[in-house]
Structure formats: structure tokens, C-alpha cells
Amino acid sequence: MKGSIFVKIFTSFLFVILLISTSIASFAVKRIKSHYIDTLSSDLKKISYPLSLSIKPLIEQRRFSELDSLVKSIGRETNIRITVIATDGTVLADSKKDPSLMENHGTRPEVIQALSKGYGETIRYSTTMQKKMLYVAIPLKTNGKIIGILRLSLFLSDIEHLLSNLSRDMICMILIITALSLLGAYFLAKGFSDPIRELVSVSNRLALGDFSAKASIQRKDELGKLASSFNEMGERIKKLFERVRLKQEELIAILSSLSEGLIVIDGNGRIELSNRSFDKIVGDSSQGRFYREVLRDSGLIKCVEKAVNEKRTVTKEVELNDKLFLISITPMVSENKFIVVLHDITEFKAIEKIKKDFVINASHELRTPLTAIKGYVETLEDEVQGEAKTYLKIIRKHTERIINIVKDLLTLAEIEEKGLDTSLKDIYLKGFLENVVKIFRPRAEEKGLELKFTAQCNPVIKGDPFKLEQVFVNLIDNAIKYTEKGEVSILLREENGYAVVEVIDTGIGIPKEYIPRIFERFYVVDKSRSRKLGGTGLGLSIVKHVVLLHGGKIEVESEPGKGSKFIVRLPVNS
């Protein structure tokens, strides 16, 4: 109750009312007192002038005894203290005291003012009467010469008594007004706080999930509108919660039906959510446990740690319970959580192996008869003349193309199966590329192309010389093959810890929509042109595999009609 809005409003009203009432009372008393004193001063001043006419002759004639009697007589009738003072401060007559017993009044403020300014007025404590008094003094002049001072005074006790009664009456009035104001403030504060208290109660019920709670405030002011809006908000929240509940149930159903294993790991490494497929993979319930307890494979745990530390998606193939899984760990952008998905690729890998084995076996089986066919065709070409020789050339051309395809298939299968040779060598790229470029100079000159090689540095990399030679042979071969005029340039430079080799041509270029697929097996942009030039559709696939095996990257920039640029980045020896 202490911090309630009712107490705050009521206390504020109380403070304001008391402040205003006190200020008005204080100001009124001061103004009344000031006005009353000003009025008395004016009255005393008016009385002093006619009185001075009776006093001046007695002073001139030095009839001080008669003067004192006159002053005392007038003082009794008017209840005003009258004092006549000589210019040297000697008291000549006084209506209350014996002037002979009174001290010199020359230093009194009102006397000094009357002598210097022609009129004196002051309120001070009287040492003679032992009371606070109001004094008014005027000079008594004859022929322009001051012969004395006439001083009139009144006791302020009468004024203070009057003001005391007035203050008491005002205090009573203020208390009555304050009581009435506070009564009004009470009802006003209550009328304001009760609806708010009801809204707080309803909001607490809503927070606890009671969406049937309604505010029953029937008013036409802003609080009534607030209650109406609050009830409408409650209805909307109810509908939203219902929608969220349905979505959550739908999501749980989807997650449960997924064949892929899925878990969500929180920032502390605890599994916050898991589906049935994941629990089936690990053979136990995993929700609420730490992922290290559940994922007992060291390779899998390292993948999760890498994703957590680097805050990026990590993908890797792992083996769990005699099955192969493609694991993907992805950080959630909005929260410090990670989604781990395990996709069973055992069957896919088995099919892939069957396909690879088939390609390898078929390639090996085709290699011998194709070589024999080529040999017989070459023999027949020497003996046959006329139109038959043309047919033999066509047979030889297509036989060579099939042999090249078989050769590339075997190369690709070998790269995928064996990877890189463990005994990698230091390769000085400048000399290495110069030797590759020399192979193609005669062919470039034959087509009228300028073949240029520029080396800005001589970086050293670790790699397989034979496989890397295949990379640059394929790239330069393609550049010359698809360039009819202009030049083919090879540029070697170093950038951010990578050796960068650019193979640039001024050939036909590649349309933008085909660039993402050019590294796929058997994919060619212009099939008729590729067949005509003897392309197999496997060269760029081999290039990409070799570059990736060396920890590098390959990019393509191309524009139809202007040429292409293949950029190979290989990590430099540190």
C-alpha cells in the first residue's frame, strides 16, 4: 500500500493543498499587517500636524510644565503616546513618563530621520516602555527653524493581538478548506487508482495464463478506453498463444517425423531439444544431458567444439555405430545455441561406391579394346584410300575422344579414392609454371595467339607436382582451345598467404547462368563445340578436385564475347 498509486496521488494533493494554503495565509497576514501599520502611520502623521500648532507656542515660551500637562491630557484621550523632544535630544514632555527621568532621545532613529529628512518612522523596541512600538516623528519649525521634535507612538501589542485573532480565524478557514479538498482528493485518487488496481490484477492473471480475465471498468474517459483496449489485447494474446501452441505441436510432429537426427545445444553445452531419430541413432534419451555424454565420438565432439569456438557452420562426415553420417553444426544467429543435424548417408555412400567401382571397372575394361580399335584404325588409314579413309578419320577421332574420357574418369576416380600423396614436395611456382607454359607455345603460335607468362614473385607451396601440372595443363589447354584471336595470359602473384595464379583469355567467354555448373562432371556449355574440339567435360572437375585437395580455392570471372579468367589460390608454405 505504501507505494500504491492511490497513496502517491493523495499525498501529492495533500502536499499541494497544504503548500498553497500555508502560502496564502502567510502572504495574507503579512499584507494585512503591513497595510494596518501603514494606515496607523498615516493616521499618526495626520494627527501630528494639528497637534504641533498647540505645542510650538509652549516650546517658544519655554512653558514646559504646561506642555507636559497638555501632552498627558491628549495622550489619555487618544490612547497615543506623545513625546516632545528638543533638538539636542532632551525630552521636554511625554504622555506616559516623567520627562525629567527619561534619557536623551537624540540617537533614536525616528528623531534622526525627522531632523535630516523632515519625517521619521520606525518600529522598534522601546527601552522606556519595555515594549515594541510604532513611532512617527515630525520636526517642529518656526520661521523655518527647527525648535523641537514631535513624536507620536502606538503599542504594537494591540496590532499583534488583532493579527493573532485574524491568523486564528484564517487557520480555521484553511483547515476547513483543506479537509474539504482532501476529501475531494481522496475520491479523485480512489476513482483513478481503483481501475488501475483492477487492470494490474487482470494483467497478473493474464501473465499466469488465465486468458479469460477481463477488466470490468465501465467508464467513458481514457481509463475506460484503456480497459477496453486491454480486454482486446487479452483476446489477441489468447489467439496468438493458441496459434503458437498449434505451431509448436506442428513443429514437434515435424521434428519427430524427420529421419535425420536433430538436437539443439545451448550455450552451456546441454542438449535442449532432440528428436526421436537422434535418440535412436545414439541409442538413448539425450534431452537435458550434456552433448559430450551423448556424442561419444571424438571426431564428432571436435566438430561441435569447432563450430562453437568459431561461431560458423561446420560440416563433416563421421562414423557412428557402423554407419556413416553427414553432420552439420549451425549456430543460431539470435541466440547462443547450435543446431546439430545428422543425416544418414550410409546407403548413399554404398551406392556412390558401386558407381565409382562401376566407372573404374568399365573404364579399365574399355581401355584395352579402345586402344586396339585405335591401333587398327591407324593401320587401315595407311592402306585405305578415297572415301573410306574419311570414315576412318571420323572413327579415329571419336575413338580418341572416348579414350580421353576413360583416361579422365580414371584420373578423377584416383583423386577421389587416394587423395594427395603423403610425400608432398616443395614446388617453386615460377619455374613450375614456366615449364607448363612451354608445352603450349607451339600450339598457341599455330593458332596465331600470344601466350604470355608474368611472375611478380616466386612463392613456394607444398603439393603433388603431377596433379598440379594437370590443373594448369587443363586450364591453359581450355584457354587456347576456346580462344580464336587475341592472347592467353598467365599471371603469378602472392596475396594474403596464398599464391594466386590467374589464367586469362580473350576467347568466347561463358554466360553468367552457366558459371555455377562448369565444375560438374560431363557439364559443357556448348556441347557441339566441345565435341568438335575433343572436350570430355571432366577437365574442370579434375581441376577443382585437385585444388581443393591442396587446401586451395578456384574462382571464375567471365563475360561472353570478351573472355574468361580462372583464378587459382593455393596456400603458401609458412
Side-chain angles (χ1 to χ4, degrees), residues 10-25:
F10 187 76
T11 306
S12 300
F13 269 108
L14 176 62
F15 176 75
V16 171
I17 290 167
L18 290 176
L19 180 65
I20 292 172
S21 301
T22 306
S23 300
I24 290 172

Side-chain angles (χ1 to χ4, degrees), residues 469-518:
E469 186 180 55
Q470 283 183 302
V471 168
F472 297 112
V473 164
N474 272 316
L475 290 176
I476 297 171
D477 178 63
N478 281 348
I480 293 172
K481 190 186 294 181
Y482 293 103
T483 303
E484 297 301 325
K485 60 179 180 178
E487 63 180 34
V488 174
S489 303
I490 296 91
L491 174 65
L492 172 63
R493 57 189 173 85
E494 191 172 331
E495 181 183 278
N496 298 327
Y498 282 87
V500 182
V501 182
E502 296 179 0
V503 179
I504 309 163
D505 64 59
T506 56
I508 60 173
I510 306 167
K512 189 176 181 180
E513 62 269 22
Y514 297 130
I515 289 176
R517 297 192 61 191
I518 60 172

Side-chain angles (χ1 to χ4, degrees), residues 248-307:
Q248 191 174 22
E249 289 177 359
E250 184 181 346
L251 180 62
I252 291 170
I254 291 169
L255 290 176
S256 299
S257 63
L258 282 176
S259 59
E260 290 82 4
L262 183 143
I263 58 171
V264 177
I265 302 172
D266 65 18
N268 298 318
R270 194 181 292 275
I271 296 173
E272 191 175 278
L273 176 70
S274 68
N275 67 351
R276 280 200 297 254
S277 297
F278 183 84
D279 292 343
K280 189 176 178 182
I281 290 168
V282 297
D284 197 0
S285 177
S286 56
Q287 194 160 326
R289 297 166 64 188
F290 288 100
Y291 74 87
R292 289 174 178 275
E293 299 175 35
V294 179
L295 306 175
R296 295 175 183 174
D297 181 83
S298 59
L300 188 51
I301 291 172
K302 284 179 181 178
C303 283
V304 176
E305 288 175 348
K306 186 177 181 181

Side-chain angles (χ1 to χ4, degrees), residues 454-473:
T454 306
Q456 297 177 358
C457 55
N458 188 18
V460 183
I461 65 167
K462 280 276 187 189
D464 184 325
F466 175 73
K467 288 186 172 64
L468 282 175
E469 186 180 55
Q470 283 183 302
V471 168
F472 297 112
V473 164

Side-chain angles (χ1 to χ4, degrees), residues 149-367:
I149 303 296
L150 173 61
R151 187 183 73 177
L152 305 180
S153 59
L154 284 171
F155 292 104
L156 285 182
S157 58
D158 297 335
I159 299 171
E160 288 173 351
H161 179 68
L162 175 66
L163 291 174
S164 176
N165 292 335
L166 181 63
S167 297
R168 186 173 61 253
D169 293 342
M170 288 190 71
I171 289 169
C172 290
M173 188 182 297
I174 287 169
L175 288 174
I176 293 169
I177 293 171
T178 301
L180 292 173
S181 300
L182 289 177
L183 186 64
Y186 171 81
F187 287 110
L188 180 64
K190 188 172 175 60
F192 189 74
S193 64
D194 283 354
I196 292 177
R197 194 178 294 115
E198 184 178 348
L199 286 173
V200 170
S201 174
V202 171
S203 66
N204 288 334
R205 288 171 63 190
L206 283 174
L208 293 171
D210 181 8
F211 298 112
S212 63
K214 302 285 182 192
S216 58
I217 300 169
Q218 303 297 326
R219 295 171 60 147
K220 294 183 179 180
D221 58 7
E222 286 79 359
L223 284 171
K225 291 178 182 177
L226 177 62
S228 177
S229 299
F230 199 87
N231 291 337
E232 188 178 341
M233 181 187 70
E235 283 294 325
R236 289 185 180 179
I237 291 174
K238 183 179 179 181
K239 290 177 182 177
L240 285 172
F241 264 84
E242 184 65 23
R243 197 180 302 168
V244 169
R245 185 184 63 79
L246 292 173
K247 286 286 183 184
Q248 191 174 22
E249 289 177 359
E250 184 181 346
L251 180 62
I252 291 170
I254 291 169
L255 290 176
S256 299
S257 63
L258 282 176
S259 59
E260 290 82 4
L262 183 143
I263 58 171
V264 177
I265 302 172
D266 65 18
N268 298 318
R270 194 181 292 275
I271 296 173
E272 191 175 278
L273 176 70
S274 68
N275 67 351
R276 280 200 297 254
S277 297
F278 183 84
D279 292 343
K280 189 176 178 182
I281 290 168
V282 297
D284 197 0
S285 177
S286 56
Q287 194 160 326
R289 297 166 64 188
F290 288 100
Y291 74 87
R292 289 174 178 275
E293 299 175 35
V294 179
L295 306 175
R296 295 175 183 174
D297 181 83
S298 59
L300 188 51
I301 291 172
K302 284 179 181 178
C303 283
V304 176
E305 288 175 348
K306 186 177 181 181
V308 170
N309 294 331
E310 297 179 8
K311 297 286 189 296
R312 66 179 182 88
T313 300
V314 174
T315 305
K316 191 179 179 182
E317 290 181 12
V318 294
E319 187 176 344
L320 281 174
N321 301 329
D322 300 324
K323 286 189 176 183
L324 282 171
F325 292 91
L326 178 65
I327 181 172
S328 172
I329 305 107
T330 305
M332 294 174 70
V333 178
S334 57
E335 299 180 63
N336 186 25
K337 296 178 182 178
F338 294 84
I339 300 172
V340 181
V341 179
L342 275 75
H343 182 66
D344 189 347
I345 56 171
T346 308
E347 190 175 339
F348 172 78
K349 284 292 182 181
I351 294 170
E352 191 179 64
K353 189 174 186 310
I354 292 168
K355 285 168 65 178
K356 283 181 182 177
D357 291 344
F358 172 76
V359 169
I360 292 169
N361 293 333
S363 299
H364 278 297
E365 292 297 326
L366 286 170
R367 200 172 189 178

